């Protein structure tokens, strides 16, 4: 039967299939209801044992089984040097066993014949994840069957060349991994540098020289706060009059539709204590401290009832959830709701440039701050900070401060199993306040430095992508005969495969090959 050909290979190579290289075996799991099947001296692995694993070999998993467990399940003990390929959830994990072991049914394994170098097959299977997925089936999750795994095409070089190829891949991957480690380290250092820039910014160090040069031109923070609060009160009184007029019109119209919502009166807050001010650390004497609620209205949203399709179908009002706050700016909503949802629930439409803070999330979401670039509603996991009438530079100043204090903000969370922030915590959060002129100068300096940082990060990301492309290029060359030179003195692969088939014909039952053959092939792999 002619073997499937995927690409051109050297003349002394041959196309084969996995099942022609040795025994293809599946695994099994002893009954968890029988304690005597577990905790024995037989190593046993599942795909979960390879999650995050970067080693080529594996000795044992998190669990082991007994001889009784092996006998009373479809698990099979395979010799050291066998290659194990996860066949589901997910497809594509690969490892070579450094010790005899068994697997669960989530693996298809190859016990290779003499002349088939396990490390060569290992690297080929690592590169064949997509090929295997294309030949898998299933509705709940994809799985490649033992038959389909055994029929996967594989190019086979002479035995000595298999070893040269595996050794060269190892050498090049080692160099590549060192480079990738250096790139990732550089990206982490950029994150540290970004935080360092923000720290200096809110200690007043970035603008120290500017502040000295412009000392006689600056409005004091106290004057600025008084002006902001005066304007807020005036705006509230205007909104109150407009609301009264709207209510009269609503009553005159037989109270049709939703009653107009009363504007929220700006809150009064207690004076800051020395302890609260001290938490900010060292700020310039020319700056002041305020609570967010003194200059902003803090609100939230809701998740309209999912079962009520009229709240969502054909909706065109942007709705944002906390997952969107991983970006500095929110340009696209998480979804859309209808006017009916806005009228019949506690949703509120927030204007563009509202700052939003994630209230929930034990992961890295809670405490994240972002800025709406669109008019949008939110769910209840977000605090919306409306800095109405606040100059954009001062808003940017506050946003960067909240970004700098991300980790500290998370510590303010309260609650049991999953601590959360709440609107009261956000309203009472203490932030520094400087003059609008200095806030503008600081925003300009931060934009410049962050632009430089972002450009460097983009370049590092491009280099990481290039490294992954190079990895794929190495594998492509390796399995097409272009990575190492061919040796005319090597036994042709066709003779090797013919000999394997002849030997298998005399021992037709899978799984009955001697462990000695696999052990011979595994010496280099198990010792690496």
């Amino acid at each position: 039967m002619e073997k499937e050909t995927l690409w051109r290979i050297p003349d002394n190579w041959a196309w084969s299939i996995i099942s022609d290289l040795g025994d293809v075996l599946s695994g099994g799991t002893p009954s968890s209801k029988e304690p005597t099947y577990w905790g024995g001296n037989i190593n046993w692995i599942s795909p979960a044992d390879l999650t995050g694993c970067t080693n080529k070999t594996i000795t044992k998993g998190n669990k082991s089984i007994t001889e009784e467990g092996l006998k009373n399940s479809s698990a099979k003990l395979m010799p050291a040097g066998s290659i194990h390929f996860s066949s589901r959830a997910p497809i594509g994990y690969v490892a070579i066993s450094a010790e005899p072991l068994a697997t669960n049914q989530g693996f298809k394994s190859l016990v290779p014949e003499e002349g088939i170098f396990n490390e060569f097959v290992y690297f080929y299977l690592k590169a064949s994840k997509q090929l295997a997925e294309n030949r898998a089936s299933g509705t709940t999750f994809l799985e490649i069957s033992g038959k389909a795994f055994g029929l996967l095409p594989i190019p086979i070089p002479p035995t000595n060349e298999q070893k040269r190829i595996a050794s060269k891949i190892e050498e090049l991957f080692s160099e590549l991994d060192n480079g990738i480690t250096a790139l990732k380290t550089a990206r982490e250092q950029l994150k540290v540098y970004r935080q360092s820039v923000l720290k200096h910014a809110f200690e007043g160090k970035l603008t120290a020289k500017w502040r000295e040069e412009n000392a006689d031109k600056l409005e004091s923070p106290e004057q600025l706060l008084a002006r902001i609060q005066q304007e807020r009160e005036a705006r509230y009184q205007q909104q109150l009059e407009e609301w009264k007029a709207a209510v009269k019109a609503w009553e005159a119209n037989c109270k049709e539709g939703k009653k107009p919502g009363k504007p929220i009166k700006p809150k009064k807050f207690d004076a800051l204590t020395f302890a609260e001010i001290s938490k900010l650390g060292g700020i310039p004497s020319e700056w002041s401290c305020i609570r967010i609620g003194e200059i902003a209205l803090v609100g939230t949203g809701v998740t309209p009832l999912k079962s009520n399709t009229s709240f969502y179908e054909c909706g065109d009002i942007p709705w944002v959830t906390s997952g969107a706050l991983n970006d500095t700016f929110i340009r696209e909503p998480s979804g859309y709701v209808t006017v009916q949802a806005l009228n019949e629930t506690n949703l509120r439409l927030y204007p563009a440039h509202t700052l939003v803070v994630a209230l929930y999330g034990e992961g890295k979401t809670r405490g994240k701050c972002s800025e709406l670039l669109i008019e949008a509603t939110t769910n209840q996991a977000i605090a919306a900070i409306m800095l109405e009438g606040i100059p954009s530079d001062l808003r940017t100043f506050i946003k960067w401060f909240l970004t700098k204090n991300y980790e500290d903000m998370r510590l303010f969370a309260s609650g049991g199993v999953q601590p959360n922030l709440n609107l009261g915590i956000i309203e009472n959060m203490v932030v520094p306040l400087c003059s609008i002129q200095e806030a503008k100068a600081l925003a300009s300096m931060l934009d410049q430095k962050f632009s430089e940082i972002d450009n460097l990060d983009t370049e590092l990301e491009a280099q990481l992508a290039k490294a992954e492309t190079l990895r794929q290029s190495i594998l492509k060359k390796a399995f097409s005969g272009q990575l190492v030179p061919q040796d005319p003195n090597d036994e042709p692969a066709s003779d090797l495969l013919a000999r394997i088939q002849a030997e298998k014909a005399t021992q037709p039952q899978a799984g009955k090959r001697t462990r000695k053959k696999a052990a011979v092939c595994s010496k280099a792999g198990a010792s690496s």
Side-chain angles (χ1 to χ4, degrees):
M1 178 179 170
E2 187 174 343
K3 296 297 189 292
E4 183 178 356
T5 300
L6 298 183
W7 54 79
R8 292 188 63 181
I9 56 177
D11 292 339
N12 64 342
W13 288 33
W15 277 100
S16 186
I17 56 177
I18 296 294
S19 60
D20 282 351
L21 309 182
D23 291 334
V24 172
L25 303 174
S26 294
T29 303
S31 172
S32 58
K33 296 179 181 179
E34 181 50 68
T36 61
Y37 292 169
W38 296 93
N41 58 3
I42 296 176
N43 300 319
W44 181 86
I45 63 171
S46 70
D49 292 310
L50 296 186
T51 301
C53 178
T54 57
N55 294 332
K56 187 167 48 183
T57 60
I58 187 167
T59 302
K60 61 182 180 179
N62 289 324
K63 297 180 180 179
S64 64
I65 60 175
T66 63
E67 289 285 352
E68 284 299 307
L70 185 68
K71 290 177 184 177
N72 289 281
S73 71
S74 55
K76 301 172 185 67
L77 185 61
M78 288 166 274
S82 301
I83 306 113
H84 310 285
F85 183 84
S86 66
S87 55
R88 65 181 187 184
I91 292 173
Y93 287 162
V94 192
I96 297 172
S97 51
E99 298 286 345
L101 57 74
T103 75
N104 78 346
Q105 59 273 26
F107 283 101
K108 300 298 177 281
S109 300
L110 174 69
V111 181
E113 290 286 347
E114 186 174 352
I116 301 300
F117 188 48
N118 54 9
E119 292 187 24
F120 175 84
V121 178
Y122 165 87
F123 283 119
Y124 179 75
L125 290 177
K126 290 281 283 186
S128 301
K129 174 180 170 68
Q130 186 173 351
L131 175 65
E133 287 177 339
N134 291 341
R135 302 187 181 209
S137 60
T139 51
T140 305
F141 52 78
L142 288 176
E143 179 173 11
I144 186 166
S145 66
K147 180 179 179 181
F149 174 72
L151 290 173
L152 288 179
I154 177 171
I156 297 297
T159 300
N160 289 335
E161 191 172 346
Q162 292 176 38
K163 295 177 180 179
R164 293 197 300 272
I165 289 171
S167 177
K168 190 64 175 178
I169 291 175
E170 193 77 57
E171 175 191 337
L172 295 176
F173 276 14
S174 178
E175 294 174 1
L176 195 58
D177 288 340
N178 288 338
I180 289 172
T181 298
L183 290 171
K184 289 182 176 179
T185 299
R187 292 193 79 182
E188 289 303 311
Q189 288 172 340
L190 276 183
K191 292 179 183 177
V192 173
Y193 176 58
R194 183 187 290 267
Q195 284 301 112
S196 176
V197 168
L198 285 171
K199 183 175 184 293
H200 278 69
F202 291 100
E203 289 174 347
K205 294 177 181 178
L206 278 187
T207 47
K209 185 177 179 181
W210 182 94
R211 194 165 51 252
E212 183 180 338
E213 293 172 350
N214 295 272
D216 58 339
K217 307 172 187 176
L218 305 181
E219 178 183 32
S220 72
E222 291 76 16
Q223 291 171 325
L224 173 60
L225 178 59
R227 181 161 58 83
I228 289 172
Q229 291 180 332
Q230 186 178 10
E231 291 172 357
R232 283 189 76 197
E233 181 61 29
R235 191 162 46 253
Y236 167 70
Q237 292 300 328
Q238 181 182 347
Q239 292 170 346
L240 196 60
E241 292 304 316
E242 291 171 353
W243 170 74
K244 290 176 181 177
V247 169
K248 285 183 179 180
W250 174 73
E251 291 173 341
N253 199 30
C254 301
K255 300 184 178 180
E256 184 177 341
K258 185 178 181 181
K259 182 179 180 179
K262 186 176 182 180
I264 301 173
K265 184 177 182 178
K267 290 184 178 180
K268 301 293 184 183
F269 291 87
D270 294 335
L272 289 170
T273 65
F274 177 76
E276 288 175 314
I277 295 172
S278 299
K279 287 181 181 179
L280 278 186
I283 62 172
S285 58
E286 298 88 345
W287 291 14
S288 183
C289 304
I290 58 169
R291 300 184 196 276
I292 284 179
E294 293 184 76
I295 60 171
L297 176 65
V298 180
T300 189
V302 71
T303 299
L305 191 65
K306 291 288 186 180
S307 60
N308 191 336
T309 56
S310 64
F311 286 166
Y312 295 96
E313 282 186 1
C314 301
D316 58 0
I317 299 173
W319 181 66
V320 173
T321 65
S322 57
L325 272 63
N326 287 313
D327 294 323
T328 305
F329 296 99
I330 297 174
R331 296 176 172 84
E332 297 291 335
S334 307
Y336 294 89
V337 294
T338 61
V339 173
Q340 183 178 343
L342 187 62
N343 289 335
E344 296 181 9
T345 69
N346 289 328
L347 283 173
R348 177 166 184 171
L349 195 59
Y350 295 105
H353 302 299
T354 296
L355 301 185
V356 284
V357 174
L359 299 175
Y360 305 163
E362 187 50 41
K364 294 189 176 181
T365 304
R366 188 183 72 237
K368 284 275 181 80
C369 178
S370 186
E371 180 179 351
L372 291 176
L373 295 186
I374 55 174
E375 188 179 51
T377 59
T378 76
N379 71 355
Q380 65 278 11
I382 289 176
I385 304 172
M386 289 184 292
L387 296 156
E388 295 178 315
I390 302 295
S392 60
D393 294 314
L394 190 55
R395 182 180 61 244
T396 301
F397 177 88
I398 292 172
K399 182 180 77 172
W400 283 127
F401 176 79
L402 294 177
T403 300
K404 178 191 86 74
N405 277 36
Y406 161 65
E407 292 293 346
D408 291 339
M409 197 184 307
R410 291 170 59 80
L411 300 177
F412 288 124
S414 60
V417 178
Q418 187 175 12
N420 298 318
L421 296 168
N422 57 50
L423 299 188
I425 291 173
I426 301 298
E427 283 180 332
N428 282 281
M429 195 164 290
V430 180
V431 298
L433 185 66
C434 66
S435 69
I436 292 175
Q437 299 98 313
E438 185 170 356
K440 183 176 182 178
L442 183 59
S444 177
M445 293 178 188
L446 287 175
D447 283 344
Q448 180 181 348
K449 287 188 176 293
F450 287 165
S451 177
E452 294 169 357
I453 291 172
D454 289 341
N455 288 339
L456 284 171
D457 190 58
T458 299
E459 177 59 28
L460 290 171
E461 187 175 2
Q463 291 298 321
L464 283 168
K466 186 177 179 181
E468 187 55 39
T469 301
L470 181 56
R471 190 186 299 275
Q472 297 306 314
S473 176
I474 290 169
L475 292 172
K476 183 178 180 181
K477 287 183 176 181
F479 301 114
S480 59
Q482 301 174 60
L483 191 63
V484 299
Q486 279 76 53
D487 185 343
N489 296 317
D490 286 342
E491 178 192 40
S494 56
D495 292 353
L496 166 66
L497 292 171
R499 186 170 64 253
I500 289 174
Q501 289 307 305
E503 291 177 358
K504 289 182 73 173
T506 63
Q507 300 174 341
Q509 190 174 357
K512 295 297 183 181
R513 316 276 181 242
T514 63
R515 294 182 182 179
K516 181 179 179 182
K517 290 184 177 181
V520 169
C521 292
S522 70
K523 285 181 180 178
S527 62
S528 61

